[in-house]
Amino acid sequence: MSVRIGILGYGNLGRGVECAIKHNPDMELVAVFTRRNPKDVTILTETAKVYSVNDAEKMKDQIDVLIICGGSATDLPIQTPKYAQWFNVIDSFDTHKRIPEHFAAVDKSASENGHVGIISVGWDPGMFSLNRMYANAILPGGCDYTFWGKGVSQGHSDAIRRIEGVKDARQYTIPVEAALESVRNGENPQLSTREKHTRECFVVAQEGADLARIEREIKTMPNYFDEYDTTVHFISEEELKKNHSGIPHGGFVIRTGKTGWNDENSHVIEYSLKLDSNPEFTSSVLVAYARAAYRMNQEGQKGCKTVFDVAPAYLSAMSGEELRKHLL
Ligand SMILES: NC(=O)C1=CN([C@@H]2O[C@H](COP(=O)(O)OP(=O)(O)OC[C@H]3O[C@@H](n4cnc5c(N)ncnc54)[C@H](OP(=O)(O)O)[C@@H]3O)[C@@H](O)[C@H]2O)C=CC1
Ligand SMILES: N[C@@H](C[C@H]1CC(C(=O)O)=NO1)C(=O)O
């Protein structure tokens, strides 16, 4: 029997989840929910329909897992705890400093209602988090480094789009080459946030908007830009569509550490991603964790989880026997 999926929020991630379900025969898309007028939202899956978010609760018995594809800056803190009342949920919440409070809110709602909510799924947080954890467990005395880009951060682009007067935006994260070189040379540098990345923003402003205010709000935005050297370019909608339509990204996690009675042996653990489509890759991770949430809930589990709490086998469409035969 297929895992019945709902999508809440039809943006880059929502479209990516719809596409990822096509690649997972054990899943089916039942509904897409939107805060806009459903007539204004067109999906590609003929067997599913678009509904208003106000209709979601009525469909709670028709959906096994609701994948919440809103923005981390303002949507997910409200949406994920709300819909965990009625559904097993998955989200991609990536405001790292606010994950503890988000976890607590989702845990209360999911636990009280007997659902599983897996938050902060994707690649960072998500796959990068897992690899940082594995590497720290294996090399307890070492140094961690995470680099992103050059690529388009969806979270930072979404955060800019939420600023009054902004019509559209793309934010590129750019690693500082000297920092990268020092890490790769095994120099184990102590790097501040500002020394690792810069951020470049391309913004389409609404007619008559106060550009100086928008630039200021971007550069001083806590949890997103205030710790970085950031440049802001105001461009036309045509320029954005022509020169910034893709959403590529990537990055890597490195941990260096030593073993031996006198730390005589050095080791480097590296996990890297090169993504043509940040949203499509992130959505593929969301869909795998939706499979896990359904299975964990079927076993009687409930409450909020992160990627650290999900045994890997729950993610796979293969049976235990197939996994042992093909991937062990
Ligand atoms: N953990 C990770 O590794 C990653 C996390 N993320 C997270 O995913 C979040 C969502 O990213 P993304 O999908 O790019 O965000 P979008 O801006 O594309 O979509 C966010 C929401 O905005 C609404 N929306 C989308 N398009 C329109 C439109 N044309 N007009 C009006 N509203 C619209 C949709 O809600 P509705 O349909 O209800 O209107 C949608 O759910 C990011 O904020 C980021 O935090 C992203 C990548 C990786
Ligand atoms: N959550 C990020 C995924 C990675 C990308 C990123 C960045 O460029 O700052 N941080 O984490 C996203 O929204 O794309």
Side-chain angles (χ1 to χ4, degrees):
M1 190 183 77
S2 297
V3 182
R4 300 168 299 171
I5 302 292
I7 293 170
L8 188 100
Y10 198 67
N12 295 312
L13 273 198
R15 288 189 291 273
V17 169
E18 181 183 13
C19 183
I21 289 170
K22 254 174 27 70
H23 294 275
N24 287 272
D26 65 325
M27 298 198 169
E28 64 170 305
L29 181 61
V30 170
V32 170
F33 301 101
T34 180
R35 288 163 296 185
R36 287 166 281 169
N37 182 333
K39 291 188 176 62
D40 297 338
V41 176
T42 305
I43 65 172
L44 302 176
T45 306
E46 291 170 3
T47 53
K49 286 194 180 140
V50 184
Y51 303 87
S52 161
V53 287
N54 302 322
D55 295 329
E57 185 186 349
K58 284 180 252 177
M59 297 183 71
K60 65 185 180 184
D61 297 327
Q62 300 168 53
I63 290 167
D64 296 313
V65 185
L66 184 67
I67 302 179
I68 303 180
C69 299
S72 290
T74 55
D75 295 337
L76 298 179
I78 295 163
Q79 292 177 329
T80 310
K82 175 178 179 180
Y83 291 94
Q85 292 179 82
W86 305 305
F87 301 94
N88 295 310
V89 294
I90 305 288
D91 83 10
S92 63
F93 186 71
D94 68 357
T95 312
H96 293 256
K97 286 182 182 166
R98 297 188 60 193
I99 288 177
E101 64 191 78
H102 188 56
F103 183 98
V106 175
D107 192 45
K108 183 174 188 304
S109 175
S111 299
E112 288 173 357
N113 295 282
H115 298 127
V116 165
I118 309 178
I119 64 165
S120 301
V121 175
W123 54 288
D124 201 355
M127 302 309 290
F128 274 19
S129 314
L130 270 180
N131 283 276
R132 286 191 284 259
M133 189 218 71
Y134 289 143
N136 273 262
I138 293 161
L139 294 175
C143 296
D144 284 310
Y145 298 94
T146 298
F147 285 97
W148 311 292
K150 178 178 179 178
V152 178
S153 168
Q154 292 176 245
H156 291 78
S157 304
D158 167 68
I160 298 174
R161 286 193 290 266
R162 303 307 166 119
I163 295 172
E164 190 188 338
V166 172
K167 193 171 183 186
D168 204 349
R170 292 287 185 284
Q171 187 271 192
Y172 292 86
T173 310
I174 304 157
V176 173
E177 285 305 324
L180 258 180
E181 195 176 333
S182 173
V183 170
R184 287 204 184 286
N185 290 342
E187 295 163 16
N188 290 337
Q190 295 299 313
L191 298 165
S192 68
T193 298
R194 200 174 294 274
E195 289 172 321
K196 286 190 281 188
H197 296 92
T198 60
R199 296 188 179 277
E200 188 170 22
C201 312
F202 292 87
V203 182
V204 179
Q206 285 165 2
E207 196 68 37
D210 178 346
L211 303 188
R213 172 187 58 77
I214 292 172
E215 180 165 354
R216 188 170 57 251
E217 285 195 38
I218 292 171
K219 290 184 172 181
T220 59
M221 191 184 298
N223 300 324
Y224 285 93
F225 294 97
D226 61 345
E227 294 181 82
Y228 295 88
D229 293 337
T230 300
T231 53
V232 179
H233 309 282
F234 291 97
I235 60 173
S236 68
E237 196 157 14
E238 293 68 32
E239 280 176 283
L240 192 84
K241 282 195 171 63
K242 180 168 172 285
N243 302 326
H244 306 284
S245 57
I247 311 185
H249 214 342
F252 52 90
V253 167
I254 289 185
R255 183 163 179 85
T256 57
K258 294 186 184 298
T259 61
W261 291 105
N262 303 303
D263 285 354
E264 64 271 24
N265 293 312
S266 295
H267 310 278
V268 178
I269 300 174
E270 181 166 343
Y271 173 80
S272 73
L273 293 175
K274 187 171 175 3
L275 309 176
D276 282 350
S277 169
N278 185 352
E280 286 184 3
F281 179 81
T282 303
S283 302
S284 302
V285 184
L286 290 168
V287 165
Y289 276 88
R291 181 182 292 115
Y294 173 64
R295 287 173 169 172
M296 292 164 78
N297 190 241
Q298 288 294 97
E299 290 179 358
Q301 296 192 50
K302 62 182 180 179
C304 191
K305 314 288 179 185
T306 70
V307 295
F308 299 142
D309 304 309
V310 180
Y314 281 121
L315 301 173
S316 175
M318 289 189 200
S319 68
E321 186 182 353
E322 287 169 317
L323 285 172
R324 288 188 291 274
K325 187 174 171 189
H326 297 294
L327 299 180
L328 195 56

